[in-house]
């Protein structure tokens, strides 16, 4: 039962990331159509676009980090046996967990800074900190998913959703 709930949590994170891809694409499409056909510019379109892209990146990190679909270099991994491949995967995932945890800590400082400094968008003077907070939530999700991946790599490698992982004892 716990595995099913965990997989639902993971799938939810991935759907949120996919939703932000759609939002970014819709924002760009709408801005281009309105500007080129109707000579109308959406207020703060540029600010929204760059902040939404930031959100997309951090939620994308969460989705790709768990599945192991981010860019990897398999020169050594491909030339060793399954046992050492698993060790390399565990080590690499632990390093990724550390790096993303530090990144999450520093991004929280950015959220707090934009809130305290009352940073606003250019045209509509909307606060930017909520966008940074949503990006930070994506980074927190990445830490959680990488921790789940690390746990599963160590104790239950058969539960890792990675085509490269071979279950061996």
């Amino acid at each position: 039962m716990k595995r099913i709930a965990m997989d639902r949590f993971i799938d939810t994170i991935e759907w949120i990331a996919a939703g932000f891809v759609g939002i970014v694409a819709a924002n760009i499409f709408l801005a281009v159509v309105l500007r080129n056909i109707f000579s109308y510019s959406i207020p703060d379109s540029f600010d929204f676009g760059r902040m939404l892209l930031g959100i997309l990146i951090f939620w994308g990190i969460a989705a790709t980090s768990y599945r192991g679909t981010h860019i990897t270099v398999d020169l050594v991994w491909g030339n060793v046996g399954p046992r050492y491949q698993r060790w390399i995967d565990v080590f690499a995932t632990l390093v990724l967990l550390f790096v993303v945890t530090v990144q999450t800590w520093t991004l929280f400082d950015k959220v707090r800074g934009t809130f305290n400094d009352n940073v606003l968008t250019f045209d509509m003077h909307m606060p930017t900190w909520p966008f940074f907070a949503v990006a930070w939530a994506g980074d927190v999700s990445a830490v959680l998913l990488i921790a789940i991946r690390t746990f599963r790599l160590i104790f239950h490698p058969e539960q890792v959703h990675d085509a490269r992982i071979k279950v061996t004892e």
Side-chain angles (χ1 to χ4, degrees):
M1 186 66 176
K2 288 182 182 180
R3 181 175 178 218
I4 293 170
M6 192 61 65
D7 287 339
R8 284 188 187 153
F9 173 73
I10 293 163
D11 291 343
T12 301
I13 299 296
E14 291 176 336
W15 276 105
I16 291 170
F20 282 116
V21 170
I23 292 169
V24 168
N27 177 57
I28 293 168
F29 176 78
L30 189 60
V32 169
V33 166
L34 289 175
R35 183 176 58 239
N36 290 336
I37 295 177
F38 300 107
S39 297
Y40 177 77
S41 179
I42 300 171
D44 283 331
S45 166
F46 176 75
D47 285 335
F48 290 145
R50 70 182 174 87
M51 289 186 289
L52 287 170
L53 191 56
I55 290 170
L56 171 62
I57 288 168
F58 287 108
W59 282 90
I61 289 170
T64 60
S65 294
Y66 177 76
R67 297 287 180 191
T69 55
H70 51 283
I71 298 171
T72 60
V73 179
D74 295 339
L75 181 65
V76 175
W77 189 89
N79 291 310
V80 297
R83 182 176 179 177
Y84 292 113
Q85 287 177 343
R86 184 167 171 211
W87 287 5
I88 291 169
D89 287 336
V90 169
F91 175 75
T93 305
L94 284 170
V95 170
L96 180 64
L97 179 60
F98 174 75
V99 169
V100 175
T101 301
V102 170
Q103 172 183 292
T104 302
W105 178 264
T106 58
L107 185 59
F108 178 75
D109 189 49
K110 182 70 173 176
V111 173
R112 188 177 60 223
T114 56
F115 177 80
N116 291 338
D117 295 342
N118 196 29
V119 178
L120 305 173
T121 60
F122 185 75
D123 294 328
M124 296 172 33
H125 305 291
M126 293 177 53
T128 61
W129 73 266
F131 292 94
F132 286 87
V134 172
W136 178 76
D139 224 16
V140 169
S141 298
V143 170
L144 293 173
L145 292 185
I146 296 166
I148 292 167
R149 179 180 172 82
T150 304
F151 177 80
R152 286 184 172 179
L153 274 172
I154 295 170
F155 299 107
H156 303 286
E158 72 280 358
Q159 292 180 3
V160 176
H161 298 93
D162 190 342
R164 293 183 340 160
I165 302 296
K166 298 180 183 101
V167 180
T168 58
E169 295 298 323

